[in-house]
Amino acid sequence: ATLFSVGDWRLFQRAKGLSIQLHSERFTLCVDPSYGGAISRFEWRDGTPIFKRNLSVVKGCSERVACFFLAPFGNRIKNGTFAFKGQQIELPANAPTRPIVAHGHVWQAGLEIVSKTTSSATLSYRHMPDEWPWAYQYLSTLRLTDYALIAVISVRNLSDKPMPCGL
């Protein structure tokens, strides 16, 4: 048997594109922790799609996604530059096909599986300061009931200074 360190396992997951499958009486949900917890499938148990897959591809992921989460900011930052509390922030482009800064960090990150049951999963990402000079922790919990998909996402600032954030 081969034993993996946590870092090796994350690389193995990313290479394999492993996804988590969740089920309820009416729904099936597939989530890919190695690509920001993106939802690759959400469908009725008979296979009829609820979320249609997006035509875009997430950071080299070969499977097209139906939904991905944006944190700590959504949309785009013009020219990758903004000022916050007197500090000028310059971020590198992160969009696979265009030289823009888009959608934060989480959609391109490998997330850790905190917990998983048949019908729910909680995923976590911890960002350490880099060009984005704040540390934060992102959590997402996806839960299927017989009537709904419930998604709860949060970002907790781990830095000692205020951090801009939008979900």
Side-chain angles (χ1 to χ4, degrees), residues 8-27:
D8 289 340
W9 176 247
R10 204 174 292 135
L11 290 174
F12 177 74
Q13 279 185 314
R14 198 175 278 262
K16 289 289 193 180
L18 298 179
S19 66
I20 296 171
Q21 288 198 6
L22 305 177
H23 302 280
S24 71
E25 188 171 313
R26 295 181 178 190
F27 307 114

Side-chain angles (χ1 to χ4, degrees), residues 23-27 42 119 143-150:
H23 302 280
S24 71
E25 188 171 313
R26 295 181 178 190
F27 307 114
F42 180 39
S119 61
R143 183 168 58 97
L144 290 177
T145 69
D146 289 340
Y147 299 98
L149 162 60
I150 299 169

Side-chain angles (χ1 to χ4, degrees), residues 51 67 119 124:
F51 287 0
C67 174
S119 61
S124 175

